[in-house]
């Protein structure tokens, strides 16, 4: 599980205004329009997802409660998956692991085409 406090670069005891300041500072640093590196988009999306969770007081309380449960000894990694059979996966090939545990929206684009 990704530590959202580490993504924003704040302590777990940070106040709401400190979280907002850290979010704005990180957004300016990793915004894709300002940072030409290809990994800046991934950082930017991760920062936005972290702020969505920690910026809201109710969501932050739920995150802190689940994070404390993980620290107490609950398994931090999910149990291994059973192999998936299909055209691309054989019985010996495990199913692909998701890229991230955060729900980061991937780039989807809609294109309008006019036919004359």
């Amino acid at each position: 599980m990704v530590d959202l406090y580490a993504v924003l670069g704040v302590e777990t005891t940070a106040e709401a205004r400190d979280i907002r300041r850290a979010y704005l500072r990180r957004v300016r640093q990793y915004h894709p329009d300002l940072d030409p590196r290809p990994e800046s988009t991934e950082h930017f999306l991760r920062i936005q997802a972290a702020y969505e969770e920690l910026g809201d007081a109710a969501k932050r309380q739920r995150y802190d409660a689940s994070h404390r449960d993980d620290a107490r000894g609950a398994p931090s990694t999910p149990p291994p998956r059973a192999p998936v059979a299909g055209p691309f996966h054989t019985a010996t090939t495990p199913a692909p692991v998701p890229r991230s545990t955060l729900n980061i929206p991937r780039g989807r684009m809609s294109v309008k085409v006019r036919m004359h």
Side-chain angles (χ1 to χ4, degrees), residues 20-60:
R20 180 165 170 76
R21 284 180 188 161
Y23 164 72
L24 294 174
R25 184 173 47 248
R26 292 284 174 127
V27 163
R28 274 186 250 118
Q29 180 181 0
Y30 289 108
H31 195 281
D33 290 342
L34 301 175
D35 189 1
R37 296 179 296 171
E39 65 269 7
S40 67
T41 303
E42 186 71 27
H43 287 299
F44 182 74
L45 293 174
R46 190 173 293 136
I47 290 164
Q48 280 187 323
Y51 183 69
E52 283 181 19
E53 193 74 20
L54 298 179
D56 184 13
K59 289 181 182 179
R60 182 178 178 186

Side-chain angles (χ1 to χ4, degrees), residues 98-114:
R99 287 180 49 182
S100 170
T101 57
L102 294 175
N103 186 13
I104 299 174
R106 299 291 176 221
R108 291 188 181 157
M109 232 157 109
S110 64
V111 179
K112 293 183 180 179
V113 178
R114 288 187 173 191

